Amino acid sequence: MTKTQTLPLKQETDIVIIRQRVRKAAEEARLGLVSQTKIVTAASEIARNALIYGGGGQCLIELANRDGRAAVRLVIADQGPGIADIERALVDGYTSGSGLGLGLSGSRRLVDEFDLKSQPGAGTTVELWKWK
Amino acid sequence: MSVSQLAELLKQNEEQILDKWLSAQRAAGIRFDLIDERNVQDNSRDLLKAVIMALAQDADDFDAPAWKPLKAQLERLSRTQARQGFSASETATFVFSLKEPLFELIQNQSQYDNRVDLVWLVNKLVDKLGLFSVEYYMAGREAVIREQQESLLELSTPVVQLWDGVLAVPLIGALDSNRTQIVMESLLQKIVETESDIAIIDITGVPTVDTMVAQHLLKTITAAKLMGARCIISGIRPQIAATIVHLGVELGDVVTKSSLADAFKLSLKELNVRLVGNAR
Ligand SMILES: Nc1ncnc2c1ncn2[C@@H]1O[C@H](COP(=O)(O)OP(=O)(O)OP(=O)(O)O)[C@@H](O)[C@H]1O
Ligand SMILES: [Mg+2]
């Protein structure tokens, strides 16, 4: 596999492909089965948010290195309306739609590093790390 | 001017162009495993006729109604080829190999002093047709993919009766929203039909359980409850269990079992069914 790849995120089926590629990258980074499942699930959550609330975007998958440990780094970005109140969006159970409100907060717990950048009108970018 | 002139030229040399076009196609390679000579000839003849017809109406704007029949024909052809297993370039080659015979024909008309214009016109025309055929080809391919997706939807959602009063749905693959919707509906319907008390939802074959899948499961469980049936979720693998917990999803008072077999045993026990084997 190449070290980085960027995948489109325009429709529901793109999420399936993103999950598959993230799993592949996680296997390649030799993450354990639980870690693999966690990063794949986090990717699924963030990608779905970017599609539903952000109107689509793209997903970067990178086989990276963190302090000498093999890692998977994901950057999922959309050019949507952005999140006005990030703190509130990260509260367990908060949803502006009809979800469980656990996507953002849950993903943060699933990964080793979680970075959310968003500005109203300027889209949302989420960076996720999981290492060995 | 030059459009109608071209139409006239093509009309007068129709048979000759057709012959040369066919040999150009043969030289480029025809997939005789997918199409027979007869069809190739008919397709080529029809398309050439349509080109002449369109040109004869002196329309050089491709969006003009004069080009409609030609486009329709090209669409039918390219879509068919997409279904038959031709590659995109094989489909485009059919159109592009028309260039050579047309260039040759124009070149031989020494009586015309606007040959360069005519060649340019033909060039634009054939390029356009080639692009159209590729676009139609892609549309054909996408239609095939959509159909396959739809048939997969139906394929992979069986609700089976394991015992009088016990249903099971073995879920397999990615649970996108359409599919889960179908599973949920068919499960609820089957519960009513069979007056079942217990429904086992087995997720052994589900690679990822995220909040959307969890929400669908929870909704199904609630709806089943309203119909008087209890759900058991089976096949939650350890890594999925760990992930669900960290996500923060609470499955409430739903009974979970590690395997479908265990869930089935529990169901029988709850229905007071005792299996009598040839125990020692
Ligand atoms: N990319 C985004 N662009 C704009 N708003 C977003 C984006 N991602 C999340 N949000 C906002 O943050 C809220 C919380 O997101 P979160 O993923 O935690 O929950 P949810 O998507 O509503 O439900 P679910 O539990 O199904 O994920 C969303 O309801 C939405 O209002
Ligand atoms: Mg979400």
Side-chain angles (χ1 to χ4, degrees), chain B residues 11 50 110 168 225 271-272:
Chain B
K11 201 174 196 158
S110 46
K225 214 183 234 168
L271 293 175
N272 285 321

Side-chain angles (χ1 to χ4, degrees), chain A residues 45 49-50 53-54 78 82-83 89 94-97 99-105 124, chain B residues 211:
Chain A
E45 291 300 336
N49 281 352
Y53 305 110
D78 65 64
I83 304 174
Y94 171 77
T95 177
S96 62
L100 295 174
L102 291 170
L104 282 180
S105 52
T124 301
Chain B
T211 58

